[in-house]
Amino acid sequence: MPAAAVEHSSHSSLSVPNTTDGGTSNGSATPTTGQSAPNLVGTASDTTLVMDGDRETQIQMLSDQLKVENRIKEGAENLLQMPLNPALRTQVESELATAKQKIQAIERSMEYFSERSSRRRNHEVNGNGIRKFTGQPLQSTDGWKEEGSERDDFRTAMHQARSAIKALLHLSRQYSHSHPSSSAPSPSASPSTSTLPNVLTASEAELNRARIETMARLIGLLQRNLRVRYELDVAEVVHAVLPSLADKATKQARATAYRLIRHALVDSHSVRRLGEQHLDWYIVKTLSRDNKHSVEKEQVIKLIRAIVDLGSERHLSHSGIGSGSVPLSDAVMRALIAVAEYPEDPFKPICVQTLTEILLIDIELMARTGGIRVLLHALAEGPLEMAPLLSQAFLHIIDSPKTRAYLHPGTDLEIALSGITDAYGKGSEHQERIKGCTRIVSSMLRTWSGLMYCCINDMTAIRALIDCLRIPSLETRELILDMFFDLLNIKPPEWHKTFIEGRRLTMYGRARRSAEITQREQIPHKPQDTLKLTDQYIALLILVFSKAGLLDALTSMFEESSVGSPLSRRATLLMAEILQKANRVLPLSIAAKIQALPRVFSLASDYNDNEHRIVGSAALSAINSFNRHWSRMEPAVKGDTRPRANSIEDALRRQRQIEPAKLKMSMQMDDKTFQALLLDTQVMATKDYMKWNFETLQDLIEGPLHSAKRMEEAIKVSRYIRKVMSFFHPFSHRFSDVPNTKQNQRWVRLGCSLLDALMSSPDGIRFLHDDEFLSQLVKSFAQLDPLTPAPVPDPIFSKKRVQDTLTCGYFEMLGTLSKRKEGVELLEKFKLFTAFYHLTELRQREDLIKGIIENLDYSIDGHSRIVLSKALTSQYKTIRHYATDYLGGLIRTSPTANAWMLRLLLTQLYDPSADVRELAVRFLEEACESMDVLQMVVEMQPTLDHLGEGHPLLLKFMSTPTGFRFLYAADYIDREIELWFHERNLHYVVHIEVFLAKAFIQNANDDVDDSLLAFDGIVPLHFYGVMAKTELGCEVLQEKGHFTEFAQFIRRHGLESEDQEVIFKLKSVLWAVGNIGATERGLPFLEEEEIIPAILEIAEQSLVLSVRGTCFFVLGLISSTPQGAEILDDYHWEATLSPLGLPTGLCVPLDVDKFVSIPPWECVASEAVDDSRLAPPETDEEMEVMTAIYNLANTVIANAASRSLTKMKSKPEYRHIFNSPSMFYRALHTISSQKYRQPVRRYIFDLFNIDLDADVVQQLSECAISLRIPITAQEPAEPSEPSPVDDKPAPFRPRPARHHADESDDEESDVEEKEAAAKKPRAPVMSLRPKSRIIGFS
């Protein structure tokens, strides 16, 4: 754009036409005189823009000028916020007003041009005489203007994008020279290129700067307009930026070009179009550059990630993980892998992450290019923050037999353990590495694939971990012990520290109290014997670890010293915890073998070696101390009401026994003593409550005054009660003005005791009738009425007084009255309940409503319950939420089911607020754990459809016969069973697997996840399992025939290992069958179909490890009934029983090896040698250079080879080789098919005196064709073999399947090639296998 076009003078003005004239009245598309094109008139620069040019170009000019005016406006506004003198402020305000006028004028002009171009387009499209309305819209265009200022009009943006591409083509010297007769835009022909430098005279720096600015402008357009990205052709963009990718361009230009290409990609089609361009060598060269070019490497890595994200073909539902296709050539992959394995490259982490993503999409590509090897080394050597991602990816690969065949069994994944197993001799500085490694191992052993993989070869990997505990000089064994604590989900209590320090666990009072407090804080509705999937997995871990020798290794740690150390005591603690866990989660026969501890007992009974006997005895004594302390901390058996002598509640119990005797003695007091007590209180002597004898007054009220005779005497004879009661009158401002402190709360308790004493005698009730206490309270509440005729400035129950004084105690005193029938009558007589109703309608006085709700007693049916129900239906959400929460607490603490409470709670299920509904649902689910409550709720027949289909409450209703009939009559069962059969079975699998993974991760990281509170390892309710709990449900299940279909599916597809969709459905069917078998009525279905042997076969023979894990949990569900446990016992799977002989839902195999063993496999992954054949070098010098380049891949002789290459390059007879495109292609082809380290790749690029540009890339493509050996010139290949060499490295395209041969096969094929060459005279072929000839040694 000419400079004059963007110059701006504060005196310039815009003459804008009046566009409100009826421009369309004459029916023509030509504007009327009143709509003449606006002219930009600059009086200072005399710049006149001719408006008959390209309108869209004019719009662009106007938008540029609009930006200038907006900057002036913003600057003026910022200046006005600063302290200015009056003259300068006046000048700035004038400039601001001028800028605003110009902004309005420019916007009107832009609107005029937009309308005019739209009218012309409408006229051209509708050439049949029917024209659309092109006048002014009736509504305001302010919103349209705002949107237009944020996002350009598509047509304008598209035109600007094409103009930018034309400008880039114009800036290409090659374009200008090779197309002299083309219609390339010239500065005079296209305003968009009028400011571009002349390509014939401009320097390379100016051209680069212009290219960068143009590309940046185009990137901004693509970011703002997604539609333009779809409209642009990627090939056109690449063609325009090729000069910016050349070596002669700057690194900023190359970075901007890669960024532009990335923004031009939108879908897989655009990635395929990109693959048709010759970009591979540019990308490979960029990835080989050093850290000075980080800006360029960052953009090319982002481009590669975009290609992987948009262009990859993910695996179909029928194929396994890693069976997709990533559109990256081997050349680009090798270059990316070289960056990922170079430790000094700052982009190593992101390249490792990218390779991990590619691994999960296209494992074959990773195996062929050596990416798997690099990721395994990254897993072992770091960075540590990448290790969790890598381990999870490899565990995902191990799950399926098709993908785990790419790993070498027993060696590959075990590299993750090297941080622990190689720690010997490395000292404490290696501690961080071991910490990270233990976290990885812990996460691996918490998955089925990781556990079973570590059990191959007779648990070699686990035994190696455990054997590290036997090394006495290893300083980091404490971390390994902590890993086992973590794996077995052992949460150390406070007294663990005392145990490890070697102190005796005798002072357990504080720990015992904290344990009991914790127990009380727990939600009481959770049953103690709930099924826990995590416990079943821990049972298997204990079996595996004990079989691998963990207990023997811990015993070896005891033997190291007879004195004992913190480490040996920690080992003792781990052993004691394992024995406790085993006793709880394992069957008695298996737990007894673990509890035997033969080696520890043999040490303790070794009388020939005193040190052994000391060590063994100390260990057994410590374990015994641990067990005794643990038993003291165990919660009491539910329902055991026998008081315990050593209970902390013993003192409170004795106190409660003393109080009735004390009361009986005080009731038998004589008259003189009673009168003396009255005088001792000082109530008759003074009104100052601070001088009263509080203790005597309290004893008097809680003792003698409960006698009707003494109360009558205190009321009528001495008027004592009247004096005490006047203290509590609100308007006396005595009690109601006392500060609300902890010490003064005793006066509130005294008032409650006084009212209680008054209510216990007829005279006291009459006194309350006549006293002003209640009437004054009613008047105090009336002061809060907003409609009161005479408002009081400081009402008794003002918010400040309720908060700061004992006024809040009146609610507690009224609550005392509501506990008795006589008190309720008093409250009704004085219309206090009416006052409560009015208070519930007050705005912003939640404190009063909370005080009323908290203190009223609801045991008597009447107004108290009505007040609560009114609060539950208040118009204010906070009050409803609080009242619902309080009601839930009442239900939770109530010893019996109360119908009125449940009815109120059911009402809250229909609350307009979602928070209140969720709270009510949570309390109702908790209450329905009790069968009595559940039965009562079902009989009320609430409508729960609004909660959504498949709600857990509805499933709970189904578990009772009444509820099932109710839901069956409402057609809920028929609807839901079809949904579960087709969809929700699959959702259940996702739900339970995700939460199991989260549960294990939470245990590992000690992070509390709110979403886990609803799961906690307990088996979620399953529709089919709930159906099988009722007789009618079993009849419906039998009638539908779903179980028969489940059984057939298990038999037909139980051992499926390829089709992911079938495997997923198999898991869902297994969970359904397991939940049905977990009920006594549902187990006959399994027996009838004889499906349990089929499930056992899958558990022991399936090649998909996660399916085995599903069967393991399902068998635990089946064992949760006595009949199911008995059936599984016949198949050598034993169930864990409670002390009463009832199954707990945990089940383990007697033969663990059979369950965790994986069939051996042969690794199919070998880094493939490129089978492309190139014609041999033509001269000996070329052969020597190529041989030296091959030898650079060998780290042993790489230095000698590099010295040889340096010498060759300095000799005249070799110099032409390093300028030859064909030799350059041979070198590129070599590094694209062999493993070369990053510095070596950079060295090979630097060897050649060739700068990459479009011409060189074209020559390389021609060399790929000319150097390729025709198929007829090669020995006959197998029909399945693909063509040896492509025209180029086949970037971004699907690759043909390749045959991987062993090294022996390669050697045999080489021999056959030599024999064939000897028999048939022809030009020798050149293989890309490394040469054995060494250049540079004498």
PDB file of all heavy atoms in Angstrom, residues 196-213:
ATOM      1  N   LEU A 196       5.502  -3.695  -2.092  1.00  0.00           N
ATOM      2  CA  LEU A 196       6.493  -4.762  -2.035  1.00  0.00           C
ATOM      3  C   LEU A 196       7.783  -4.306  -2.707  1.00  0.00           C
ATOM      4  O   LEU A 196       7.762  -3.545  -3.680  1.00  0.00           O
ATOM      5  CB  LEU A 196       5.963  -6.017  -2.736  1.00  0.00           C
ATOM      6  CG  LEU A 196       4.703  -6.623  -2.123  1.00  0.00           C
ATOM      7  CD1 LEU A 196       4.258  -7.813  -2.939  1.00  0.00           C
ATOM      8  CD2 LEU A 196       4.950  -7.027  -0.682  1.00  0.00           C
ATOM      9  N   PRO A 197       8.927  -4.796  -2.231  1.00  0.00           N
ATOM     10  CA  PRO A 197      10.191  -4.415  -2.865  1.00  0.00           C
ATOM     11  C   PRO A 197      10.314  -5.050  -4.249  1.00  0.00           C
ATOM     12  O   PRO A 197       9.737  -6.091  -4.531  1.00  0.00           O
ATOM     13  CB  PRO A 197      11.242  -4.959  -1.894  1.00  0.00           C
ATOM     14  CG  PRO A 197      10.570  -6.063  -1.179  1.00  0.00           C
ATOM     15  CD  PRO A 197       9.135  -5.665  -1.069  1.00  0.00           C
ATOM     16  N   ASN A 198      11.093  -4.432  -5.068  1.00  0.00           N
ATOM     17  CA  ASN A 198      11.348  -4.962  -6.416  1.00  0.00           C
ATOM     18  C   ASN A 198      12.259  -6.177  -6.294  1.00  0.00           C
ATOM     19  O   ASN A 198      13.370  -6.093  -5.757  1.00  0.00           O
ATOM     20  CB  ASN A 198      12.016  -3.882  -7.277  1.00  0.00           C
ATOM     21  CG  ASN A 198      12.078  -4.295  -8.743  1.00  0.00           C
ATOM     22  OD1 ASN A 198      12.112  -5.472  -9.059  1.00  0.00           O
ATOM     23  ND2 ASN A 198      12.093  -3.299  -9.618  1.00  0.00           N
ATOM     24  N   VAL A 199      11.800  -7.312  -6.791  1.00  0.00           N
ATOM     25  CA  VAL A 199      12.552  -8.553  -6.613  1.00  0.00           C
ATOM     26  C   VAL A 199      13.863  -8.537  -7.385  1.00  0.00           C
ATOM     27  O   VAL A 199      14.766  -9.326  -7.103  1.00  0.00           O
ATOM     28  CB  VAL A 199      11.705  -9.765  -7.053  1.00  0.00           C
ATOM     29  CG1 VAL A 199      10.523  -9.940  -6.146  1.00  0.00           C
ATOM     30  CG2 VAL A 199      11.258  -9.629  -8.492  1.00  0.00           C
ATOM     31  N   LEU A 200      13.978  -7.657  -8.365  1.00  0.00           N
ATOM     32  CA  LEU A 200      15.197  -7.615  -9.174  1.00  0.00           C
ATOM     33  C   LEU A 200      16.280  -6.772  -8.508  1.00  0.00           C
ATOM     34  O   LEU A 200      17.472  -7.016  -8.733  1.00  0.00           O
ATOM     35  CB  LEU A 200      14.880  -7.060 -10.568  1.00  0.00           C
ATOM     36  CG  LEU A 200      13.871  -7.869 -11.390  1.00  0.00           C
ATOM     37  CD1 LEU A 200      13.585  -7.179 -12.711  1.00  0.00           C
ATOM     38  CD2 LEU A 200      14.394  -9.278 -11.630  1.00  0.00           C
ATOM     39  N   THR A 201      15.858  -5.802  -7.721  1.00  0.00           N
ATOM     40  CA  THR A 201      16.843  -4.890  -7.133  1.00  0.00           C
ATOM     41  C   THR A 201      16.963  -5.011  -5.627  1.00  0.00           C
ATOM     42  O   THR A 201      17.958  -4.561  -5.050  1.00  0.00           O
ATOM     43  CB  THR A 201      16.458  -3.438  -7.483  1.00  0.00           C
ATOM     44  OG1 THR A 201      15.153  -3.175  -6.965  1.00  0.00           O
ATOM     45  CG2 THR A 201      16.469  -3.222  -8.991  1.00  0.00           C
ATOM     46  N   ALA A 202      15.965  -5.600  -4.972  1.00  0.00           N
ATOM     47  CA  ALA A 202      15.974  -5.659  -3.504  1.00  0.00           C
ATOM     48  C   ALA A 202      16.989  -6.675  -3.013  1.00  0.00           C
ATOM     49  O   ALA A 202      17.293  -7.663  -3.687  1.00  0.00           O
ATOM     50  CB  ALA A 202      14.593  -6.012  -2.971  1.00  0.00           C
ATOM     51  N   SER A 203      17.484  -6.430  -1.800  1.00  0.00           N
ATOM     52  CA  SER A 203      18.415  -7.383  -1.181  1.00  0.00           C
ATOM     53  C   SER A 203      17.644  -8.571  -0.609  1.00  0.00           C
ATOM     54  O   SER A 203      16.427  -8.520  -0.420  1.00  0.00           O
ATOM     55  CB  SER A 203      19.206  -6.690  -0.073  1.00  0.00           C
ATOM     56  OG  SER A 203      18.331  -6.302   0.971  1.00  0.00           O
ATOM     57  N   GLU A 204      18.400  -9.624  -0.282  1.00  0.00           N
ATOM     58  CA  GLU A 204      17.775 -10.817   0.277  1.00  0.00           C
ATOM     59  C   GLU A 204      17.138 -10.520   1.636  1.00  0.00           C
ATOM     60  O   GLU A 204      16.074 -11.057   1.966  1.00  0.00           O
ATOM     61  CB  GLU A 204      18.822 -11.922   0.433  1.00  0.00           C
ATOM     62  CG  GLU A 204      18.234 -13.297   0.731  1.00  0.00           C
ATOM     63  CD  GLU A 204      17.418 -13.844  -0.436  1.00  0.00           C
ATOM     64  OE1 GLU A 204      17.743 -13.545  -1.599  1.00  0.00           O
ATOM     65  OE2 GLU A 204      16.434 -14.564  -0.157  1.00  0.00           O
ATOM     66  N   ALA A 205      17.747  -9.612   2.414  1.00  0.00           N
ATOM     67  CA  ALA A 205      17.187  -9.265   3.718  1.00  0.00           C
ATOM     68  C   ALA A 205      15.837  -8.568   3.565  1.00  0.00           C
ATOM     69  O   ALA A 205      14.883  -8.850   4.312  1.00  0.00           O
ATOM     70  CB  ALA A 205      18.152  -8.365   4.478  1.00  0.00           C
ATOM     71  N   GLU A 206      15.726  -7.664   2.574  1.00  0.00           N
ATOM     72  CA  GLU A 206      14.454  -6.992   2.349  1.00  0.00           C
ATOM     73  C   GLU A 206      13.381  -7.974   1.898  1.00  0.00           C
ATOM     74  O   GLU A 206      12.223  -7.895   2.319  1.00  0.00           O
ATOM     75  CB  GLU A 206      14.641  -5.889   1.307  1.00  0.00           C
ATOM     76  CG  GLU A 206      15.498  -4.720   1.792  1.00  0.00           C
ATOM     77  CD  GLU A 206      15.745  -3.710   0.678  1.00  0.00           C
ATOM     78  OE1 GLU A 206      15.436  -4.039  -0.489  1.00  0.00           O
ATOM     79  OE2 GLU A 206      16.242  -2.602   0.969  1.00  0.00           O
ATOM     80  N   LEU A 207      13.778  -8.895   1.031  1.00  0.00           N
ATOM     81  CA  LEU A 207      12.796  -9.893   0.570  1.00  0.00           C
ATOM     82  C   LEU A 207      12.322 -10.765   1.731  1.00  0.00           C
ATOM     83  O   LEU A 207      11.133 -11.068   1.852  1.00  0.00           O
ATOM     84  CB  LEU A 207      13.428 -10.768  -0.525  1.00  0.00           C
ATOM     85  CG  LEU A 207      13.658 -10.088  -1.880  1.00  0.00           C
ATOM     86  CD1 LEU A 207      14.410 -11.027  -2.818  1.00  0.00           C
ATOM     87  CD2 LEU A 207      12.335  -9.683  -2.505  1.00  0.00           C
ATOM     88  N   ASN A 208      13.250 -11.186   2.584  1.00  0.00           N
ATOM     89  CA  ASN A 208      12.864 -12.009   3.733  1.00  0.00           C
ATOM     90  C   ASN A 208      11.920 -11.246   4.655  1.00  0.00           C
ATOM     91  O   ASN A 208      10.940 -11.795   5.153  1.00  0.00           O
ATOM     92  CB  ASN A 208      14.105 -12.444   4.509  1.00  0.00           C
ATOM     93  CG  ASN A 208      14.746 -13.688   3.933  1.00  0.00           C
ATOM     94  OD1 ASN A 208      14.052 -14.589   3.466  1.00  0.00           O
ATOM     95  ND2 ASN A 208      16.071 -13.732   3.931  1.00  0.00           N
ATOM     96  N   ARG A 209      12.231  -9.965   4.883  1.00  0.00           N
ATOM     97  CA  ARG A 209      11.380  -9.165   5.751  1.00  0.00           C
ATOM     98  C   ARG A 209       9.982  -9.030   5.160  1.00  0.00           C
ATOM     99  O   ARG A 209       8.972  -9.162   5.851  1.00  0.00           O
ATOM    100  CB  ARG A 209      12.008  -7.784   5.950  1.00  0.00           C
ATOM    101  CG  ARG A 209      11.384  -6.993   7.105  1.00  0.00           C
ATOM    102  CD  ARG A 209      12.047  -5.645   7.277  1.00  0.00           C
ATOM    103  NE  ARG A 209      13.478  -5.747   7.419  1.00  0.00           N
ATOM    104  CZ  ARG A 209      14.366  -5.284   6.507  1.00  0.00           C
ATOM    105  NH1 ARG A 209      13.924  -4.679   5.413  1.00  0.00           N
ATOM    106  NH2 ARG A 209      15.654  -5.416   6.693  1.00  0.00           N
ATOM    107  N   ALA A 210       9.915  -8.794   3.849  1.00  0.00           N
ATOM    108  CA  ALA A 210       8.605  -8.661   3.200  1.00  0.00           C
ATOM    109  C   ALA A 210       7.838  -9.977   3.244  1.00  0.00           C
ATOM    110  O   ALA A 210       6.624  -9.995   3.463  1.00  0.00           O
ATOM    111  CB  ALA A 210       8.789  -8.203   1.757  1.00  0.00           C
ATOM    112  N   ARG A 211       8.539 -11.095   3.049  1.00  0.00           N
ATOM    113  CA  ARG A 211       7.862 -12.398   3.096  1.00  0.00           C
ATOM    114  C   ARG A 211       7.304 -12.650   4.494  1.00  0.00           C
ATOM    115  O   ARG A 211       6.170 -13.124   4.650  1.00  0.00           O
ATOM    116  CB  ARG A 211       8.837 -13.518   2.724  1.00  0.00           C
ATOM    117  CG  ARG A 211       9.231 -13.557   1.257  1.00  0.00           C
ATOM    118  CD  ARG A 211       9.981 -14.843   0.946  1.00  0.00           C
ATOM    119  NE  ARG A 211      10.619 -14.785  -0.359  1.00  0.00           N
ATOM    120  CZ  ARG A 211      11.940 -14.723  -0.552  1.00  0.00           C
ATOM    121  NH1 ARG A 211      12.761 -14.711   0.494  1.00  0.00           N
ATOM    122  NH2 ARG A 211      12.440 -14.694  -1.767  1.00  0.00           N
ATOM    123  N   ILE A 212       8.115 -12.352   5.525  1.00  0.00           N
ATOM    124  CA  ILE A 212       7.664 -12.600   6.901  1.00  0.00           C
ATOM    125  C   ILE A 212       6.427 -11.764   7.212  1.00  0.00           C
ATOM    126  O   ILE A 212       5.445 -12.262   7.787  1.00  0.00           O
ATOM    127  CB  ILE A 212       8.804 -12.287   7.893  1.00  0.00           C
ATOM    128  CG1 ILE A 212       9.922 -13.329   7.748  1.00  0.00           C
ATOM    129  CG2 ILE A 212       8.287 -12.279   9.325  1.00  0.00           C
ATOM    130  CD1 ILE A 212      11.165 -13.004   8.556  1.00  0.00           C
ATOM    131  N   GLU A 213       6.441 -10.493   6.818  1.00  0.00           N
ATOM    132  CA  GLU A 213       5.280  -9.646   7.085  1.00  0.00           C
ATOM    133  C   GLU A 213       4.048 -10.147   6.358  1.00  0.00           C
ATOM    134  O   GLU A 213       2.942 -10.189   6.922  1.00  0.00           O
ATOM    135  CB  GLU A 213       5.598  -8.203   6.667  1.00  0.00           C
ATOM    136  CG  GLU A 213       6.637  -7.527   7.548  1.00  0.00           C
ATOM    137  CD  GLU A 213       7.026  -6.147   7.010  1.00  0.00           C
ATOM    138  OE1 GLU A 213       6.497  -5.774   5.941  1.00  0.00           O
ATOM    139  OE2 GLU A 213       7.839  -5.462   7.663  1.00  0.00           O
TER     140      GLU A 213
END
